[in-house]
């Protein structure tokens, strides 16, 4: 039995309805309990801001394309290296750090759970290997289905149940957490160097549309009762005028789940552009926010960009090609047979680029114009909009209109003609930030049920204590302190153990990998489906028996089990 | 006992459809494999136990002794080099990286003498590639440049390219065009629809000519470029531009010929250029079954695919300086641990001579050229036969190699973990 008592914490725990109270938190064996035994070690939080451990619901940190981002970028590796120190291993990388680099940096910011935004099923084993080398965070993997042939055939046959069976089989085989659709249909079209340009465009050969894929998958997801909803990266990412596609996508989402959204739209900043070319690109954040505000069945994350150098990487192969045609920097692409694609290019977001300034404004506007913070999560699509180490700056911008005004004077002066940002005076408070960085994620991912994102009795003792005293600080004025405070916790506690202190990692860490397993009736078990097996053996280059990720790759695997309603 | 869907741990094709029969802890037959696979599985004559050099001969030592001695050699070294790694599984590679970090050594893999230049080119311009199934199911044009798959990757053509029927390619042999570019005729060039016979050292020029034609600057092309006629260059460019899906595969004939990484850069840029017209991908023909795995593992831990120097506490990478051959050539290295490779056979003579002068420990199941340079050799289980673990195919697809029976040898990972533990213990006290 290991106990720990955190005293004098200024707690904000939105899922438990705690909005800022000085209290003690008792921990036993990694869980929050009513009371510790006497003599438990004590941490005095000294009235500092205390949140449940941070949860990133969309980040690219592990797997084939992330590692290729490192592989092709020695300049980025050089830009962020640290030496071995205590229990900390050597790290490299600024925008695409090594696995230990990611893990330590998240940990010192108080993050204890991270969802990898895109895992190609065929290459899942790789993602899991890197998860194991990301020791401080519990990890989950969005699993790509956007160009899955079997799924598109089921969509063509209007067979939602078959689609559900394919999802169940795949998640079980690759130890995935949720359904991810990245540019649905577009990644298959990219197999021929093409793309789809609206939700009604047909995918070559398969004759289905993105809209049909999205609708089928939302229903399949709910048939399986999966913890998370469908997680979508809409078509037309980064294209001027794409806000219409985003609105069309939002319109496709029915309200099917009482506990959470039915559709999660990721990095919506990249999907909220008006205009028709790069010259007249403008913000359509108001239209998007209006749509979100009127539909409880959707939730989004910001996809904020921040100025500076970073690396873009996504399963959206055709989008990366377009970006390459714009930047003419180095370009990598990696199509995955029968499943999806991917691409990588390095970028620089400049304050002197009007387009980049408009993008920067849009992300902030989404967070400020969406009324309910539970519907808008803070993320940069790490590292696409910016490396996650920029989160503290984003928090400061959202909490201080004064800081936004200072930034305004540093960016392209034409920006204000294209964006509403500087007319918005809303300033978010500590509670909003707690929602947008952990509580909303736990709810959206459906992992509050396993004790994530809150501090109620029985919850996982994942806790972040920041060197910030809400009673003595005015975030609107003291935004510099806010930024510094969120960059380095005083304590990060993971499963009841202090893992980082004042910016330094103090233990080696031992994470879990969380995945979803939906039990389907035997007639929906694809291992017994002759047609599925035959096509698999015919068109994949890996034997079906060698495809599933063996248990050994998840040394501390944990699955959320559901009963499918098939 | 017959075991199906066995992974062949010989070349970068990593075929996973072998049927192997095992009796009394010995492989007695292999189906579906090529001759190289048969060789690997059937002629597996291993060293019986660890051996230490003793004057002109060898003396048997125990595993414990060998491990202790290796740890001492590494602890004693100022500039240790941990080299090889392409013939073992990822889990062992990972321990190797942590060991190198712990002792402040240099860790490098066999890319240093094969596709190192390809990696450098990719670091300059990127890499538009794909998994092999994408090629099998879609590609109607295949280009092999400086590669002779029939010899080095015997099932590449039948599983993934020329002869592989795919979803959109019902009759591979009829529906696919094959282009081979090489400085000499090979078995592979013999079956090509177009064979570009290039003058030695002329790859860069030939690639530039194709790029120019694809760019619409064909009028610049003289009547012959590097031994290839203008007409043929135009014909080949036309085939490529008209392809629905084209795939270039290149081998050491391009990577290691004059121009080296510049050749690869040019080939990648040709691929990028072709993507303005149609879909095109390019991929290196990685040789050893898990050399790509060593690049992957090194990268997620250190940030770099090969040639990593931990001497200054951080991970430092500078091919040409931190690459094994250069470190050995400069006579800098004062102890070497060789794992799952054979530098004695593949390194320049001067490097091999240096290895013979310093304490060199080899962890390898078989007697090879490096044995003759080594001070100590520790035999281990063979991944894919009596050890299991992760391998990355030449296209990055990770596959778990099977263990066909439990033998008496420890595996690479176990040996390395013991060395690591001893070194760590010694560092602590
Ligand atoms: S082609 Fe390579 S992997 Fe396949 S059977 Fe032959 S040696 Fe083994
Ligand atoms: Zn993403």
């Amino acid at each position: 039995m290991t106990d720990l008592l955190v005293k004098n914490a200024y707690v904000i725990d939105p899922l438990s309805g705690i909005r800022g109270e000085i209290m003690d938190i008792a921990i036993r064996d990694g869980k929050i309990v009513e009371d510790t035994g006497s003599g438990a070690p004590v941490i005095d939080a000294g009235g500092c801001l205390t949140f449940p451990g941070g949860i990133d619901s969309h980040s690219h940190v592990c797997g084939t394309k992330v590692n290729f981002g490192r592989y092709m970028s020695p300049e980025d590796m050089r830009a962020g290296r640290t030496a071995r120190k205590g229990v900390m291993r050597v790290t490299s990388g600024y925008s695409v750090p090594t696995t230990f680099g990611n893990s330590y940096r998240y940990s010192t910011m108080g993050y204890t759970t991270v969802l990898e935004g895109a895992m190609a099923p065929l290459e899942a084993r790789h993602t899991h290997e890197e998860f194991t080398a990301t020791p401080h965070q519990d990890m989950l993997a969005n699993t790509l289905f956007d160009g899955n042939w079997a799924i598109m055939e089921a969509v063509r046959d209007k067979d939602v149940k078959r689609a559900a069976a394919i999802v169940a089989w795949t998640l079980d085989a690759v130890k995935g957490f949720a359904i991810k659709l990245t540019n649905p249909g577009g990644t298959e079209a990219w197999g021929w160097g093409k793309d789809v340009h609206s939700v009604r465009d047909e995918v070559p050969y398969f004759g289905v549309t993105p809209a049909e894929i999205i609708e089928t998958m939302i229903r399949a997801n709910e048939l399986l009762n999966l913890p998370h909803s469908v997680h979508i990266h809409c078509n037309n990412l980064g294209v001027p005028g794409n806000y219409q596609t985003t609105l069309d996508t939002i319109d496709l989402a029915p309200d099917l789940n009482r506990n959470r959204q039915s559709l999660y739209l990721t990095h919506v900043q990249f999907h909220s552009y008006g205009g028709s070319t790069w010259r007249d690109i403008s913000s359509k954040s108001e239209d998007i926010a209006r749509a979100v505000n009127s539909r409880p069945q959707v939730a989004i994350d910001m996809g904020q960009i921040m100025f500076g150098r970073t690396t873009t990487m996504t399963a959206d192969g055709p989008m990366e090609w377009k970006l390459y045609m714009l930047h003419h920097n180095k370009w990598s692409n990696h199509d995955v047979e029968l499943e999806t694609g991917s691409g990588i290019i390095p970028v620089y977001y400049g304050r002197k680029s009007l387009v980049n300034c408009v993008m920067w404004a849009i992300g902030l506007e989404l967070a400020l114009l969406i009324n309910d913070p539970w519907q808008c999560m803070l993320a940069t699509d790490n590292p696409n909009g910016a490396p996650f180490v920029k989160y503290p700056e984003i928090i400061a911008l959202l909490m201080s209109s004064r800081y936004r005004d200072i930034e305004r004077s540093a960016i392209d002066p034409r920006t204000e003609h294209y964006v509403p940002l500087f007319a918005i005076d809303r300033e978010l408070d500590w509670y909003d930030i707690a929602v947008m960085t952990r509580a909303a994620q736990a709810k959206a991912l459906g992992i509050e049920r396993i004790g994530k994102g809150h501090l109620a009795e029985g919850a996982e003792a994942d806790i972040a204590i920041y060197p910030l005293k809400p009673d003595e600080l005015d975030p609107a004025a003291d935004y510099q302190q806010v930024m510094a405070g969120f960059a380095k916790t005083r304590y990060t506690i993971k499963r009841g153990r202090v893992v980082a202190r004042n910016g330094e990692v103090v233990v080696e860490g031992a994470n879990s990998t969380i995945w979803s397993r939906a039990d389907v009736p035997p007639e929906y078990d694809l291992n017994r489906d002759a047609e599925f097996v035959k096509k698999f053996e015919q068109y994949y280059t890996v034997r079906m028996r060698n495809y599933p990720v063996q248990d050994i790759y998840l040394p501390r695997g944990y699955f959320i089990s559901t009963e499918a309603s098939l | 006992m017959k075991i199906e869907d066995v992974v062949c741990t010989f070349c970068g094709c990593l075929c996973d459809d072998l049927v192997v029969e095992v009796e009394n802890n010995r492989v007695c037959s292999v189906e579906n494999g090529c001759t190289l696979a048969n060789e690997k599985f059937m002629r597996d004559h291993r060293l019986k136990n660890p051996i230490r050099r003793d004057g002109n001969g060898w003396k048997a030592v125990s595993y414990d002794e060998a491990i202790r001695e290796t740890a001492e050699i590494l602890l004693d070294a100022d500039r240790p080099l941990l080299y090889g790694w392409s013939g073992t599984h990822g889990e062992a590679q990972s321990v190797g990286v942590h060991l190198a970090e712990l002792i402040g050594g240099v860790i490098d893999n066999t890319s240093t003498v094969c596709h190192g230049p390809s990696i450098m080119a990719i670091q300059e311009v990127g890499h538009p590639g794909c998994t092999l199934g994408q090629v099998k199911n879609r590609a109607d044009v295949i280009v092999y440049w400086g590669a002779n798959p029939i010899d080095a990757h015997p099932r590449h053509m039948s599983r993934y390219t020329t002869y592989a029927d795919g979803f959109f390619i019902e009759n591979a042999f009829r529906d696919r065009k094959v282009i081979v570019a090489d400085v000499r005729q090979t078995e592979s060039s013999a079956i090509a629809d177009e064979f570009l016979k290039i003058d030695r050292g002329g790859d860069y020029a030939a690639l530039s000519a194709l790029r120019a034609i694809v760019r619409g600057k064909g009028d610049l092309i003289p009547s012959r470029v590097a031994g290839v006629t203008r007409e043929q260059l135009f014909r080949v460019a036309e085939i490529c531009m008209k392809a629905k899906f084209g795939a270039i595969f290149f081998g050491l004939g391009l990577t290691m010929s004059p121009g080296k990484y510049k050749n690869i850069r040019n080939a990648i840029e040709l691929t990028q250029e072709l993507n303005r017209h149609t879909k095109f991908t390019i991929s290196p023909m990685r040789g050893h079954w898990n050399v790509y795995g060593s690049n992957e593992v090194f990268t997620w831990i250190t940030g770099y695919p090969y040639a990593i120097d931990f001497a200054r506490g951080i991970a430092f990478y500078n091919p040409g300086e931190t690459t094994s051959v250069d470190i050995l050539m400069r006579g800098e290295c004062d102890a070497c641990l060789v794992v799952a490779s054979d530098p004695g056979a593949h390194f320049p003579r001067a490097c091999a001579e240096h290895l013979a002068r310093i304490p060199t420990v080899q962890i390898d199941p078989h007697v090879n050229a490096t044995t003759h340079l080594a001070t100590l050799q520790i035999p281990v289980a063979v991944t894919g036969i009596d050890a299991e673990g992760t391998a990355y195919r030449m296209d990055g697809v990770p596959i778990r190699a099977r263990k066909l029976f439990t033998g008496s040898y420890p595996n690479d990972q176990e040996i390395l973990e013991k060395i690591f533990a001893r070194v760590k213990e010694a560092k602590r006290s």
Side-chain angles (χ1 to χ4, degrees):
Chain A
M1 236 165 21
T2 46
D3 287 9
L4 182 67
L5 184 63
V6 179
K7 288 193 117 155
N8 281 320
Y10 183 101
V11 176
I12 300 182
D13 174 8
L15 281 166
S16 307
I18 299 168
R19 289 175 161 261
E21 277 172 41
I22 296 284
M23 39 193 291
D24 297 348
I25 306 168
I27 299 164
R28 169 164 298 166
D29 294 335
K31 303 250 189 246
I32 309 284
V33 291
E34 169 94 50
D35 254 320
T36 54
S38 57
V42 173
I43 285 177
D44 186 355
C48 284
L49 185 65
T50 303
F51 286 170
I55 301 175
D56 200 330
S57 54
H58 191 104
S59 178
H60 300 276
V61 283
C62 293
T64 308
K65 78 181 170 322
V66 176
N67 212 35
F68 209 82
R70 301 176 185 121
Y71 182 104
M72 67 186 269
S73 318
E75 68 285 5
D76 191 74
M77 296 307 107
R78 266 198 305 277
R81 55 193 185 190
T82 59
R84 190 181 180 88
K85 184 177 177 197
V87 297
M88 290 168 78
R89 296 167 201 261
V90 165
T91 79
S92 304
Y94 169 65
S95 68
V96 209
T98 49
T99 56
F100 292 99
N102 276 322
S103 197
Y104 300 157
R105 292 171 208 179
Y106 262 126
S107 201
T108 55
M109 286 168 53
Y111 276 76
T112 50
T113 304
V114 176
L115 176 134
E116 161 56 46
M119 171 172 85
L122 178 62
E123 296 166 338
R125 203 169 275 103
H126 184 166
T127 306
H128 288 290
E129 286 215 276
E130 289 196 33
F131 278 0
T132 309
T134 309
H136 281 254
Q137 285 73 32
D138 290 335
M139 304 298 293
L140 314 91
N142 266 348
T143 309
L144 295 159
F145 288 97
D146 34 76
N148 187 298
W149 288 3
I151 289 287
M152 286 191 292
E153 283 168 359
V155 171
R156 188 169 56 193
D157 298 342
K158 307 207 183 310
D159 192 342
V160 182
K161 291 186 171 182
R162 187 168 179 82
I166 295 161
V167 171
W169 182 85
T170 309
L171 292 182
D172 184 42
V174 307
K175 309 290 180 267
F177 178 69
I179 298 175
K180 171 79 181 295
L181 300 175
T182 292
N183 185 5
T187 55
E188 163 58 28
W190 181 238
W192 302 118
K194 300 191 167 73
D195 196 2
V196 291
H197 305 282
S198 83
V199 296
R200 306 281 170 210
D201 244 14
E202 267 195 15
V203 182
Y205 174 79
F206 289 92
V208 298
T209 65
E212 290 164 349
I213 298 173
I214 297 163
E215 285 178 316
T216 306
M217 292 304 263
I218 292 175
R219 294 191 184 277
N221 191 85
E222 300 309 317
L223 283 179
L224 294 173
N225 298 308
L226 294 176
H228 188 31
S229 66
V230 167
H231 191 119
I232 192 169
H233 153 146
C234 295
N235 305 106
N236 281 331
L237 184 148
V239 177
N242 64 6
Y243 81 107
Q244 194 54 55
T245 303
T246 311
L247 293 176
D248 292 344
T249 306
I250 291 174
D251 276 342
L252 295 170
D255 193 356
L256 298 179
N257 194 298
R258 272 185 304 128
N259 299 319
R260 53 147 171 82
Q261 76 288 345
S262 296
L263 185 63
Y264 178 109
L265 295 94
T266 188
H267 42 68
V268 174
Q269 175 277 128
F270 290 111
H271 304 273
S272 304
Y273 305 155
S276 53
T277 68
W278 291 109
R279 285 175 204 290
D280 67 352
I281 186 175
S282 64
S283 169
K284 286 289 178 185
S285 58
E286 287 164 314
D287 299 63
I288 301 291
R290 201 175 307 123
V292 174
N293 284 336
S294 64
R295 287 177 186 74
Q297 68 267 38
V298 301
I300 73 160
D301 70 58
M302 296 162 69
Q304 178 65 25
I305 76 150
M306 295 296 278
F307 299 112
R309 190 170 293 288
T310 194
T311 308
T312 66
M313 50 178 63
T314 162
D316 195 345
M319 193 286 294
E320 291 287 354
W321 164 254
K322 278 180 244 165
L323 219 50
Y324 165 66
M325 297 300 279
L326 223 55
H327 292 262
H328 295 288
N329 206 327
K330 50 187 168 186
W331 167 59
S332 289
N333 176 77
H334 182 72
D335 297 354
V336 181
E337 63 204 61
L338 285 80
E339 293 179 351
T340 185
S342 73
I344 309 169
I345 78 153
V347 293
Y348 181 81
Y349 297 122
R351 286 186 170 81
K352 296 208 168 96
S353 152
L354 177 58
V355 171
N356 293 163
C357 293
V358 170
M359 293 163 75
W360 171 82
I362 292 173
L364 298 172
E365 289 159 14
L366 289 168
L368 296 169
L369 294 171
I370 290 173
N371 301 326
D372 184 356
W374 295 89
Q375 278 184 285
C376 180
M377 282 152 261
L378 191 151
T380 58
D381 190 20
N382 167 68
N384 287 294
F388 63 82
V389 291
K390 295 275 191 181
Y391 288 180
E393 272 180 61
I394 300 170
I395 293 173
L397 285 163
L398 294 175
M399 295 186 88
S400 169
S401 68
R402 191 179 311 173
Y403 183 29
R404 296 199 290 268
D405 275 335
I406 289 168
E407 279 297 286
R408 175 193 203 165
S409 59
I411 64 175
D412 188 307
R414 295 167 297 172
T415 309
E416 55 195 78
H417 303 303
Y418 297 89
V419 309
L421 180 66
F422 304 106
I424 305 171
D425 46 23
R426 183 172 173 200
E427 291 176 331
L428 301 187
D429 61 20
W430 304 109
Y431 176 84
D432 295 327
I433 298 302
V435 173
M436 292 175 68
T437 54
R438 49 266 287 159
Q441 281 84 349
K443 182 165 170 267
L445 298 176
I447 54 173
E448 78 280 31
R449 71 180 82 177
I450 58 163
K452 294 282 177 194
H454 60 94
L455 301 173
E457 231 186 291
E460 297 264 296
D462 295 352
I463 304 168
I465 306 173
Y466 295 99
L468 293 162
K469 298 200 175 170
D471 291 338
E472 298 167 16
L473 269 179
D474 170 13
D478 306 325
Y479 57 88
Q480 294 280 8
Q481 270 158 275
V482 169
M483 234 184 295
F486 279 114
K488 261 183 208 174
T489 59
R490 275 186 62 183
Y491 294 94
T492 302
I493 298 170
K494 174 93 189 80
R495 214 167 287 140
R497 201 162 58 132
V498 175
V499 292
R501 197 163 51 213
N502 299 324
E504 251 174 62
V505 162
V506 295
V507 300
E508 287 189 344
N511 65 354
S512 288
T513 297
I514 302 163
W515 56 287
S516 303
R517 203 177 87 178
D519 287 320
V520 297
E523 65 269 32
Y524 290 97
D525 177 1
L526 292 179
N527 286 321
R528 311 179 190 185
D529 185 306
E531 173 76 7
F532 184 80
V533 174
K534 184 173 153 234
K535 284 197 171 156
F536 195 108
E537 303 293 19
Q538 224 170 346
Y539 302 122
Y540 271 105
T541 53
V542 171
R543 302 284 295 169
M544 191 160 162
R545 199 151 73 92
N546 288 326
Y547 184 87
V549 173
Q550 293 82 354
D551 292 335
I552 196 167
Y553 290 94
L554 289 81
R556 283 166 300 278
Y558 179 94
F559 61 86
I560 297 180
S561 178
T562 63
E563 200 66 51
S565 320
L566 286 172
Chain B
M1 188 183 47
K2 266 203 175 181
I3 307 171
E4 291 188 1
D5 302 325
V6 168
V7 180
C8 173
T9 48
F10 188 81
C11 86
C13 283
L14 218 59
C15 302
D16 72 334
D17 60 345
L18 272 50
V19 180
V20 173
E21 208 174 331
V22 173
E23 246 160 59
N24 302 326
N25 283 3
R26 230 174 47 83
V27 173
C28 46
S29 80
V30 180
E31 288 166 45
N32 294 349
C34 66
T35 49
L36 299 174
N38 289 341
E39 187 83 1
K40 160 117 196 180
F41 283 94
M42 305 289 294
R43 302 184 44 142
D44 178 19
H45 304 302
R46 303 194 199 171
L47 190 60
K48 291 270 177 304
N49 47 270
I51 49 171
R52 184 201 297 128
R53 190 170 289 279
D54 182 24
N56 281 334
W58 293 96
K59 196 175 146 220
V61 292
S62 71
Y63 274 99
D64 283 346
E65 259 176 278
I67 286 163
R68 178 161 35 82
E69 202 169 319
T70 307
E72 277 162 14
I73 289 172
L74 293 175
L75 281 161
D76 209 38
D78 287 327
R79 193 89 173 115
L81 168 67
L82 280 56
Y83 173 78
W85 309 103
S86 57
T88 188
H89 52 283
E91 294 78 0
Q93 294 163 348
S94 169
V95 181
V97 181
H98 294 311
L99 178 60
E101 186 188 320
L102 186 67
I103 59 176
V106 172
I107 188 159
D108 195 10
N109 51 54
T110 56
S111 307
T112 219
V113 286
C114 60
H115 278 284
S118 312
I119 293 171
M120 288 166 67
I122 287 168
Q123 291 176 336
E124 283 193 359
V125 289
H127 176 203
C130 64
T131 67
L132 289 162
Q134 191 77 339
V135 176
K136 154 176 141 151
N137 287 312
R138 295 178 202 266
D140 53 349
V141 172
I142 304 283
V143 183
Y144 284 108
W145 200 300
N148 181 13
I150 291 179
D151 197 36
H153 299 83
R155 297 182 71 208
H156 196 263
M157 285 184 162
S158 59
R159 270 174 66 80
Y160 309 124
T161 66
T162 321
Y163 306 114
D165 292 341
F167 188 76
F168 294 103
I169 302 283
E170 277 165 27
N171 184 333
F173 196 59
R174 193 190 58 213
D175 300 344
R176 239 175 215 136
K177 282 224 151 49
V178 177
I179 299 163
V180 171
D182 213 323
V183 295
R184 69 180 81 80
Q185 284 194 333
T186 63
E187 293 118 299
S188 304
S189 73
I191 57 134
D193 296 288
E194 290 281 348
F195 173 42
L196 295 165
K197 189 167 182 310
I198 295 167
D199 290 343
R200 194 166 293 277
D203 298 287
Y204 189 88
L207 286 162
S208 297
L210 288 172
R211 274 179 77 188
I213 298 168
V214 176
R215 260 260 142 141
K217 306 259 168 73
D219 44 341
L220 297 172
I221 308 298
S223 62
R224 275 186 111 74
V225 178
V228 184
T229 65
R230 188 174 195 272
E231 290 66 38
Q232 194 185 14
L233 287 165
F234 269 81
R235 222 163 46 229
V236 165
E238 170 96 1
I239 293 172
C240 290
M241 284 190 285
K242 286 227 172 106
K244 288 203 201 82
F245 186 115
I248 302 174
F249 293 94
F250 63 93
L252 296 185
L254 189 61
T255 316
M256 284 300 175
S257 62
K260 292 190 110 177
Y261 90 97
K262 291 282 186 194
N263 292 342
I264 308 305
R265 182 182 165 139
N266 217 2
I268 293 172
E269 290 187 297
L270 170 63
T271 312
Q272 290 171 335
E273 198 64 51
L274 282 163
N275 272 283
R276 293 166 192 268
H277 300 272
T278 182
K279 176 83 180 191
F280 241 88
T281 64
I282 181 165
S283 309
M285 298 284 281
R286 304 307 302 268
H288 297 287
W289 63 277
N290 199 24
V291 62
Y292 196 55
S294 66
N295 297 140
E296 294 276 13
V297 170
F298 286 19
T299 300
W300 79 62
I301 304 177
T302 74
Y304 309 103
Y306 70 117
I308 300 125
D309 182 356
F310 288 109
R312 274 160 282 186
I314 44 97
F316 180 81
Y317 163 79
N318 189 22
E321 180 192 350
T322 57
T323 18
S324 312
V325 168
D326 301 276
I327 287 172
L328 291 167
M329 280 288 196
R330 292 196 302 269
E332 221 172 273
C333 171
D334 63 346
C336 185
L337 176 66
V338 177
V339 181
S341 68
D342 190 7
H346 301 117
F347 276 12
R349 202 192 164 85
C351 296
E353 282 167 4
H354 188 74
L355 284 175
R357 276 195 295 272
I358 59 173
T360 295
V361 179
Q362 148 147 282
I363 301 179
D364 200 288
H366 305 116
V367 170
N368 58 23
T370 305
T371 307
H372 303 296
L373 316 169
T375 340
L376 190 66
Q377 179 163 356
I378 308 175
V380 282
V382 177
T383 312
I385 297 182
D386 50 345
E388 60 184 332
T390 316
Y392 286 77
R393 201 166 70 183
M394 61 166 74
D395 57 349
V397 171
I399 299 177
R400 186 166 184 82
R402 273 169 211 283
K403 176 169 161 176
L404 308 178
F405 56 81
T406 303
S408 56
Y409 290 93
N411 66 35
D412 289 296
Q413 184 185 357
E414 289 161 348
I415 296 288
L416 287 160
E417 274 170 350
K418 285 188 179 155
I419 296 171
F420 182 90
R422 276 198 162 266
V423 171
K424 195 167 180 188
E425 187 55 44
K427 289 241 163 197
R428 197 176 294 142
S429 53

